[in-house]
Short mmCIF file of all heavy atoms in Angstrom, two decimals:
data_model
loop_
_atom_site.label_atom_id
_atom_site.label_comp_id
_atom_site.label_asym_id
_atom_site.label_seq_id
_atom_site.Cartn_x
_atom_site.Cartn_y
_atom_site.Cartn_z
N TRP A 9 25.20 -10.63 19.75
CA TRP A 9 24.54 -10.07 20.92
C TRP A 9 23.84 -8.79 20.51
O TRP A 9 24.36 -8.03 19.71
CB TRP A 9 25.56 -9.80 22.03
CG TRP A 9 26.23 -11.05 22.49
CD1 TRP A 9 27.42 -11.54 22.05
CD2 TRP A 9 25.76 -11.97 23.46
NE1 TRP A 9 27.71 -12.71 22.67
CE2 TRP A 9 26.71 -13.01 23.56
CE3 TRP A 9 24.62 -12.05 24.26
CZ2 TRP A 9 26.56 -14.08 24.42
CZ3 TRP A 9 24.48 -13.12 25.11
CH2 TRP A 9 25.43 -14.12 25.18
N PRO A 10 22.64 -8.49 21.04
CA PRO A 10 21.94 -9.30 22.02
C PRO A 10 21.36 -10.57 21.41
O PRO A 10 21.22 -10.65 20.19
CB PRO A 10 20.82 -8.36 22.50
CG PRO A 10 20.56 -7.50 21.31
CD PRO A 10 21.90 -7.29 20.65
N ARG A 11 21.02 -11.52 22.24
CA ARG A 11 20.53 -12.79 21.73
C ARG A 11 19.15 -12.64 21.11
O ARG A 11 18.76 -13.42 20.25
CB ARG A 11 20.49 -13.83 22.87
CG ARG A 11 21.83 -14.08 23.50
CD ARG A 11 22.83 -14.58 22.47
NE ARG A 11 22.53 -15.92 22.04
CZ ARG A 11 22.92 -17.02 22.68
NH1 ARG A 11 23.63 -16.92 23.79
NH2 ARG A 11 22.63 -18.21 22.24
N THR A 12 18.35 -11.67 21.56
CA THR A 12 17.06 -11.43 20.94
C THR A 12 17.20 -10.46 19.78
O THR A 12 18.14 -9.67 19.71
CB THR A 12 16.06 -10.86 21.97
OG1 THR A 12 16.61 -9.65 22.52
CG2 THR A 12 15.81 -11.85 23.09
N VAL A 13 16.26 -10.52 18.87
CA VAL A 13 16.24 -9.61 17.72
C VAL A 13 15.47 -8.37 18.13
O VAL A 13 14.39 -8.45 18.72
CB VAL A 13 15.58 -10.27 16.50
CG1 VAL A 13 15.63 -9.35 15.29
CG2 VAL A 13 16.27 -11.60 16.19
N SER A 14 15.99 -7.19 17.82
CA SER A 14 15.34 -5.94 18.22
C SER A 14 14.00 -5.80 17.53
O SER A 14 13.75 -6.35 16.45
CB SER A 14 16.23 -4.75 17.88
OG SER A 14 16.33 -4.59 16.47
N ALA A 15 13.11 -5.01 18.15
CA ALA A 15 11.78 -4.79 17.59
C ALA A 15 11.86 -4.14 16.22
O ALA A 15 11.09 -4.49 15.31
CB ALA A 15 10.96 -3.93 18.55
N ASP A 16 12.78 -3.21 16.04
CA ASP A 16 12.91 -2.56 14.73
C ASP A 16 13.28 -3.56 13.65
O ASP A 16 12.73 -3.53 12.53
CB ASP A 16 13.97 -1.45 14.80
CG ASP A 16 13.48 -0.22 15.54
OD1 ASP A 16 12.26 -0.01 15.56
OD2 ASP A 16 14.31 0.51 16.10
N GLU A 17 14.19 -4.46 13.96
CA GLU A 17 14.60 -5.45 12.97
C GLU A 17 13.49 -6.44 12.67
O GLU A 17 13.29 -6.85 11.53
CB GLU A 17 15.85 -6.19 13.45
CG GLU A 17 16.47 -7.09 12.40
CD GLU A 17 17.79 -7.68 12.82
OE1 GLU A 17 18.39 -7.16 13.79
OE2 GLU A 17 18.25 -8.65 12.18
N VAL A 18 12.74 -6.83 13.70
CA VAL A 18 11.60 -7.72 13.48
C VAL A 18 10.59 -7.07 12.55
O VAL A 18 10.10 -7.70 11.59
CB VAL A 18 10.94 -8.09 14.82
CG1 VAL A 18 9.63 -8.83 14.59
CG2 VAL A 18 11.87 -8.96 15.66
N SER A 19 10.28 -5.81 12.80
CA SER A 19 9.32 -5.11 11.93
C SER A 19 9.87 -4.95 10.51
O SER A 19 9.13 -5.10 9.53
CB SER A 19 8.97 -3.74 12.51
OG SER A 19 8.11 -3.87 13.63
N ASP A 20 11.16 -4.62 10.39
CA ASP A 20 11.75 -4.49 9.06
C ASP A 20 11.60 -5.78 8.26
O ASP A 20 11.24 -5.76 7.07
CB ASP A 20 13.23 -4.11 9.17
CG ASP A 20 13.44 -2.68 9.67
OD1 ASP A 20 12.48 -1.90 9.60
OD2 ASP A 20 14.55 -2.38 10.16
N ARG A 21 11.88 -6.90 8.90
CA ARG A 21 11.78 -8.19 8.21
C ARG A 21 10.33 -8.49 7.85
O ARG A 21 10.04 -8.98 6.74
CB ARG A 21 12.33 -9.30 9.10
CG ARG A 21 13.84 -9.22 9.34
CD ARG A 21 14.27 -10.27 10.35
NE ARG A 21 15.72 -10.31 10.50
CZ ARG A 21 16.35 -11.11 11.35
NH1 ARG A 21 15.67 -11.93 12.12
NH2 ARG A 21 17.67 -11.10 11.42
N ALA A 22 9.42 -8.21 8.78
CA ALA A 22 8.01 -8.48 8.52
C ALA A 22 7.47 -7.61 7.39
O ALA A 22 6.74 -8.09 6.50
CB ALA A 22 7.20 -8.26 9.80
N ILE A 23 7.82 -6.34 7.40
CA ILE A 23 7.35 -5.43 6.34
C ILE A 23 7.89 -5.85 4.99
O ILE A 23 7.17 -5.85 3.98
CB ILE A 23 7.77 -3.99 6.68
CG1 ILE A 23 7.01 -3.50 7.92
CG2 ILE A 23 7.52 -3.05 5.51
CD1 ILE A 23 7.49 -2.17 8.46
N ALA A 24 9.18 -6.23 4.93
CA ALA A 24 9.76 -6.68 3.67
C ALA A 24 9.05 -7.91 3.14
O ALA A 24 8.83 -8.05 1.92
CB ALA A 24 11.25 -6.96 3.86
N TRP A 25 8.66 -8.81 4.03
CA TRP A 25 7.94 -10.01 3.59
C TRP A 25 6.54 -9.67 3.11
O TRP A 25 6.08 -10.19 2.08
CB TRP A 25 7.88 -11.02 4.73
CG TRP A 25 7.31 -12.35 4.33
CD1 TRP A 25 7.94 -13.37 3.70
CD2 TRP A 25 5.94 -12.77 4.50
NE1 TRP A 25 7.07 -14.41 3.50
CE2 TRP A 25 5.83 -14.07 3.97
CE3 TRP A 25 4.81 -12.17 5.07
CZ2 TRP A 25 4.64 -14.78 3.98
CZ3 TRP A 25 3.61 -12.88 5.08
CH2 TRP A 25 3.54 -14.17 4.53
N VAL A 26 5.85 -8.80 3.84
CA VAL A 26 4.49 -8.42 3.46
C VAL A 26 4.47 -7.79 2.08
O VAL A 26 3.57 -8.05 1.26
CB VAL A 26 3.90 -7.47 4.51
CG1 VAL A 26 2.59 -6.83 4.00
CG2 VAL A 26 3.64 -8.20 5.82
N GLU A 27 5.45 -6.96 1.78
CA GLU A 27 5.50 -6.27 0.49
C GLU A 27 5.67 -7.23 -0.69
O GLU A 27 5.39 -6.86 -1.83
CB GLU A 27 6.62 -5.24 0.50
CG GLU A 27 6.35 -4.06 1.44
CD GLU A 27 7.53 -3.12 1.54
OE1 GLU A 27 8.65 -3.52 1.09
OE2 GLU A 27 7.36 -2.01 2.05
N GLN A 28 6.14 -8.44 -0.42
CA GLN A 28 6.34 -9.41 -1.48
C GLN A 28 5.15 -10.35 -1.67
O GLN A 28 5.17 -11.20 -2.56
CB GLN A 28 7.59 -10.24 -1.20
CG GLN A 28 8.87 -9.43 -1.11
CD GLN A 28 10.05 -10.28 -0.67
OE1 GLN A 28 9.93 -11.48 -0.43
NE2 GLN A 28 11.22 -9.65 -0.56
N GLN A 29 4.13 -10.22 -0.82
CA GLN A 29 3.03 -11.17 -0.85
C GLN A 29 1.87 -10.70 -1.71
O GLN A 29 1.72 -9.51 -2.01
CB GLN A 29 2.51 -11.43 0.58
CG GLN A 29 3.58 -11.94 1.52
CD GLN A 29 4.36 -13.11 0.96
OE1 GLN A 29 3.79 -14.13 0.57
NE2 GLN A 29 5.68 -12.96 0.90
N ALA A 30 1.06 -11.68 -2.10
CA ALA A 30 -0.17 -11.39 -2.82
C ALA A 30 -1.15 -10.68 -1.88
O ALA A 30 -0.96 -10.68 -0.66
CB ALA A 30 -0.78 -12.69 -3.35
N PRO A 31 -2.21 -10.09 -2.41
CA PRO A 31 -3.14 -9.34 -1.56
C PRO A 31 -3.92 -10.21 -0.58
O PRO A 31 -4.55 -9.67 0.33
CB PRO A 31 -4.10 -8.67 -2.56
CG PRO A 31 -3.43 -8.76 -3.88
CD PRO A 31 -2.54 -9.96 -3.83
N GLU A 32 -3.91 -11.51 -0.73
CA GLU A 32 -4.73 -12.35 0.14
C GLU A 32 -4.08 -13.72 0.31
O GLU A 32 -3.12 -14.08 -0.38
CB GLU A 32 -6.13 -12.52 -0.45
CG GLU A 32 -6.14 -13.06 -1.87
CD GLU A 32 -7.51 -13.06 -2.51
OE1 GLU A 32 -8.43 -12.40 -1.96
OE2 GLU A 32 -7.67 -13.71 -3.55
N GLY A 33 -4.60 -14.48 1.30
CA GLY A 33 -4.19 -15.87 1.45
C GLY A 33 -2.92 -16.11 2.22
O GLY A 33 -2.25 -17.12 1.99
N TRP A 34 -2.55 -15.23 3.18
CA TRP A 34 -1.34 -15.49 3.96
C TRP A 34 -1.56 -15.16 5.42
O TRP A 34 -2.41 -14.36 5.79
CB TRP A 34 -0.14 -14.74 3.41
CG TRP A 34 -0.32 -13.27 3.12
CD1 TRP A 34 -0.68 -12.72 1.92
CD2 TRP A 34 -0.17 -12.17 4.03
NE1 TRP A 34 -0.74 -11.35 2.02
CE2 TRP A 34 -0.43 -10.99 3.30
CE3 TRP A 34 0.17 -12.07 5.37
CZ2 TRP A 34 -0.38 -9.71 3.88
CZ3 TRP A 34 0.23 -10.81 5.96
CH2 TRP A 34 -0.05 -9.65 5.22
N PHE A 35 -0.77 -15.83 6.26
CA PHE A 35 -0.82 -15.68 7.72
C PHE A 35 0.58 -15.33 8.21
O PHE A 35 1.54 -16.03 7.92
CB PHE A 35 -1.30 -16.97 8.37
CG PHE A 35 -1.12 -17.00 9.88
CD1 PHE A 35 -1.72 -16.06 10.69
CD2 PHE A 35 -0.36 -18.01 10.47
CE1 PHE A 35 -1.54 -16.10 12.07
CE2 PHE A 35 -0.18 -18.06 11.85
CZ PHE A 35 -0.79 -17.10 12.65
N LEU A 36 0.69 -14.23 8.94
CA LEU A 36 1.97 -13.76 9.46
C LEU A 36 1.92 -13.71 10.98
O LEU A 36 1.03 -13.07 11.56
CB LEU A 36 2.30 -12.38 8.90
CG LEU A 36 3.56 -11.68 9.46
CD1 LEU A 36 4.81 -12.48 9.12
CD2 LEU A 36 3.67 -10.26 8.91
N PHE A 37 2.87 -14.39 11.61
CA PHE A 37 3.02 -14.36 13.07
C PHE A 37 4.25 -13.52 13.40
O PHE A 37 5.34 -13.78 12.89
CB PHE A 37 3.18 -15.78 13.62
CG PHE A 37 3.57 -15.85 15.07
CD1 PHE A 37 2.71 -15.42 16.06
CD2 PHE A 37 4.81 -16.37 15.45
CE1 PHE A 37 3.07 -15.49 17.40
CE2 PHE A 37 5.18 -16.44 16.78
CZ PHE A 37 4.30 -16.00 17.75
N VAL A 38 4.07 -12.50 14.24
CA VAL A 38 5.17 -11.60 14.60
C VAL A 38 5.27 -11.57 16.12
O VAL A 38 4.27 -11.37 16.81
CB VAL A 38 4.93 -10.18 14.06
CG1 VAL A 38 6.15 -9.30 14.34
CG2 VAL A 38 4.62 -10.20 12.57
N GLN A 39 6.50 -11.76 16.62
CA GLN A 39 6.72 -11.75 18.06
C GLN A 39 7.82 -10.77 18.41
O GLN A 39 8.91 -10.78 17.82
CB GLN A 39 7.10 -13.15 18.58
CG GLN A 39 7.21 -13.25 20.09
CD GLN A 39 8.66 -13.35 20.57
OE1 GLN A 39 9.59 -13.49 19.78
NE2 GLN A 39 8.86 -13.26 21.88
N TYR A 40 7.52 -9.88 19.36
CA TYR A 40 8.49 -8.89 19.85
C TYR A 40 8.93 -9.27 21.25
O TYR A 40 8.09 -9.57 22.11
CB TYR A 40 7.87 -7.50 19.86
CG TYR A 40 7.48 -6.98 18.49
CD1 TYR A 40 6.19 -7.19 18.00
CD2 TYR A 40 8.38 -6.29 17.69
CE1 TYR A 40 5.83 -6.72 16.74
CE2 TYR A 40 8.03 -5.82 16.44
CZ TYR A 40 6.75 -6.04 15.97
OH TYR A 40 6.40 -5.58 14.73
#
């Protein structure tokens, strides 16, 4: 709980993924 993921955690996960990607060729969908 809570059943939803907090905005801070969503951003943390998204930022960590972005830092591992190449400079081009990817699509990221983020929902708060």
Side-chain angles (χ1 to χ4, degrees):
W9 298 95
R11 300 301 289 275
T12 57
V13 183
S14 68
D16 286 334
E17 188 173 344
V18 170
S19 286
D20 290 342
R21 293 173 174 178
I23 292 171
W25 186 82
V26 168
E27 292 174 346
Q28 299 173 1
Q29 303 310 304
E32 56 187 13
W34 49 267
F35 168 59
L36 174 63
F37 170 66
V38 185
Q39 186 254 352
Y40 297 92

